Amino acid sequence: GQQLNQSPQSMFIQEGEDVSMNCTSSSIFNTWLWYKQDPGEGPVLLIALYKAGELTSNGRLTAQFGITRKDSFLNISASIPSDVGIYFCAGQNTNAGKSTFGDGTTLTVKP
Amino acid sequence: GAVVSQHPSWVICKSGTSVKIECRSLDFQATTMFWYRQFPKQSLMLMATSNEGSKATYEQGVEKDKFLINHASLTLSTLTVTSAHPEDSSFYICSAVLAGGVVHEQFFGPGTRLTVL
């Protein structure tokens, strides 16, 4: 089946620094999604991307849908302690909402 | 809006018993719900797609007789882990797709942590 490679696996940064993580796939997706999961909770949708090349922002978060439709990246600017968590990318190809998830990037922000 | 609840939030059971987990969309109707399993520090693995009024579609490698799914109404899907064993211990998360909404929008529940002794 389709697999998503997400990197880096983990990041340790200082508060105020910018963060960048990405997701690549061996096959194309029609929709790319970025989620954040706090410990013991379900994922929460951060940004959804629908078109190749699309660049979308949500506050300090910016994500882009790669031109080849096989990759996406997420940037977080001026990180704060509450950004701590696991960030997942997900790709969709159907209209039924079924998603393939990446392995996640664990972000730790030191105050 | 678009809140999904799960009950229970955690459960501990003895090996061989069955456990039922409920997933409810509280303020919207969901024709489709998904069930995921997540091991510590790992990604979400889709187990099955639950459609209201029809049989669930299971992913390859997931035993349908082991993980029984019932989507009896537009707001409720249940996952029953039958004859649970320690290897079934995991974090189970459901998500619900807003009926008639933007197709990608699935809203996740808070998860249920199952520990089988």
Side-chain angles (χ1 to χ4, degrees), chain A residues 74-86:
Chain A
L74 173 71
N75 286 343
I76 304 173
S77 63
S79 58
I80 58 178
S82 61
D83 290 334
V84 165
I86 304 176

Side-chain angles (χ1 to χ4, degrees), chain A residues 81-96:
Chain A
S82 61
D83 290 334
V84 165
I86 304 176
Y87 292 80
F88 289 101
C89 62
Q92 282 188 3
N93 272 331
T94 72
N95 290 333

Side-chain angles (χ1 to χ4, degrees), chain A residues 37 42 50 92 96-99 102, chain B residues 34 38 43 59 103-104 106 109-110:
Chain A
Q37 184 179 28
Y50 305 103
Q92 282 188 3
K98 185 175 175 179
S99 300
Chain B
F34 297 98
Q38 186 179 34
S43 187
E59 294 299 302
V103 294
H104 77 283
Q106 51 177 310

Side-chain angles (χ1 to χ4, degrees), chain A residues 46-67:
Chain A
L46 299 173
I47 292 180
L49 302 159
Y50 305 103
K51 283 171 49 177
E54 179 182 354
L55 185 72
T56 298
S57 294
N58 178 7
R60 293 179 296 107
L61 279 62
T62 302
Q64 184 158 30
F65 192 144
I67 291 290

Side-chain angles (χ1 to χ4, degrees), chain B residues 16-69:
Chain B
T17 60
S18 294
V19 174
K20 180 186 283 188
I21 302 170
E22 292 185 348
C23 178
R24 291 182 186 273
S25 54
L26 297 185
D27 50 3
F28 67 100
Q29 294 184 327
T31 53
T32 301
M33 291 184 174
F34 297 98
W35 286 96
Y36 296 85
R37 184 173 180 176
Q38 186 179 34
F39 291 106
K41 299 187 186 301
Q42 293 191 22
S43 187
L44 285 78
M45 297 302 297
L46 180 64
M47 298 174 66
T49 302
S50 169
N51 292 302
E52 187 265 339
S54 64
K55 289 184 180 179
T57 304
Y58 290 82
E59 294 299 302
Q60 191 173 12
V62 177
E63 300 174 59
K64 62 180 180 182
D65 295 329
K66 170 80 173 171
F67 299 99
L68 300 178
I69 291 173

Side-chain angles (χ1 to χ4, degrees), chain B residues 92-103:
Chain B
Y92 292 87
I93 308 174
C94 72
S95 70
V97 179
L98 181 59
V102 178
V103 294

